[in-house]
Amino acid sequence: MSTPIEILSSRVSHRKLVAPAPSKEQVDAIMAVALRAPDHALLRPWRFRIYTGDALKRLGKHFAAASANADPSIDTDKLAKIEAKSLRAPMIIIVSVIVKEHKKVPEIEQFLSAGASAQNILMAAHFQGIGAMWRTGSLCFNPFMKKELDMEENESIIGFIYLGTEEGDKRPIKAVEQGDHVVWYKD
Ligand SMILES: Cc1cc2nc3c(=O)[nH]c(=O)nc-3n(C[C@H](O)[C@H](O)[C@H](O)COP(=O)(O)O)c2cc1C
């Protein structure tokens, strides 16, 4: 049996994610962990939009509409490819941050909290044997996605978390040496 540390350090992103999607119980467990993200002043600045089933086709239409708005000269082949991106996994969770005014908590801390919640999603998925990958790309930063997803004015997408059953072998994990990344001070 693997130890929690072995499980934590064996997380790896998986690109080929197929049905079945995580169950409602599995997603509830994932959300319980996501909502435990560190959060200065308990602002709860995150939102999680969960798409699965036919809602993924609707999400693809939002992707295409936002892309066409951002670049009216985009060709139809490219738009079709963008629309199909929502079908790369049987579930997508869009993680966003809704930045709140707070004299002690700058915007960057709220983005970091949302990032921590996204990482918690990856880990909670991994613990349950569910494949996952965090993606961004131009849609993440496309201002027209705001209208498409009925986002708030002060809301930003920080990632699309693709979830599903892993198809094919896991990518080998490349060990990262501590090297210059880790510095001790203990005198
Ligand atoms: C904020 C963020 C955005 C990312 N966006 C993408 C992306 O759009 N496309 C992609 O191929 N990988 C993206 N990645 C990287 C993958 O999620 C993954 O971490 C990377 O391929 C390394 O694989 P590993 O997670 O197995 O170590 C992103 C990672 C982060 C943290």
Side-chain angles (χ1 to χ4, degrees):
M1 204 166 105
S2 306
T3 65
I5 291 295
E6 282 167 346
I7 298 174
L8 284 167
S9 48
S10 66
R11 183 208 62 80
V12 66
S13 300
H14 208 88
R15 283 165 195 276
K16 273 231 158 232
L17 298 167
V18 297
S23 66
K24 171 77 171 68
E25 291 68 30
Q26 287 173 319
V27 175
D28 284 345
I30 288 171
M31 283 299 116
V33 182
L35 293 166
R36 279 302 312 131
D39 173 18
H40 193 176
L42 306 186
L43 296 178
R44 317 290 192 230
W46 347 271
R47 184 160 294 166
F48 307 98
R49 290 175 173 79
I50 305 172
Y51 291 83
T52 192
D54 279 349
L56 287 167
K57 291 187 193 154
R58 194 164 68 244
L59 180 61
K61 298 221 176 293
H62 290 311
F63 286 174
S67 302
N69 269 321
D71 175 9
S73 68
I74 193 167
D75 67 61
T76 49
D77 277 3
K78 203 158 181 207
L79 270 186
K81 278 192 189 134
I82 290 169
E83 185 170 337
K85 283 186 178 193
S86 70
L87 304 177
R88 289 188 289 190
M91 180 175 284
I92 296 178
I93 300 180
I94 302 181
V95 182
S96 61
V97 58
I98 302 167
V99 175
K100 315 225 166 120
E101 277 296 326
H102 192 286
K103 54 182 185 311
K104 284 194 184 151
V105 189
E107 183 175 298
I108 188 166
E109 289 194 8
Q110 300 183 43
F111 272 75
L112 289 168
S113 177
S117 78
Q119 174 66 6
N120 280 5
I121 291 175
L122 297 183
M123 283 304 184
H126 177 56
F127 259 82
Q128 298 182 91
I130 298 161
M133 176 147 178
W134 183 344
R135 294 179 184 270
T136 48
S138 60
L139 286 162
C140 190
F141 311 105
N142 179 323
F144 297 97
M145 284 294 285
K146 261 195 181 15
K147 183 170 157 278
E148 291 296 325
L149 301 184
D150 291 326
M151 286 166 63
E152 299 192 23
E153 197 43 52
N154 50 347
E155 186 172 5
S156 303
I157 298 173
I158 64 127
F160 300 93
I161 311 291
Y162 287 66
L163 295 157
T165 304
E166 295 178 354
E167 190 176 75
D169 293 336
K170 276 190 184 293
R171 280 182 19 257
I173 295 175
K174 284 193 200 125
V176 179
E177 296 302 325
Q178 291 192 16
D180 290 343
H181 300 299
V182 181
V183 185
W184 282 67
Y185 302 91
K186 53 181 180 177
D187 49 323

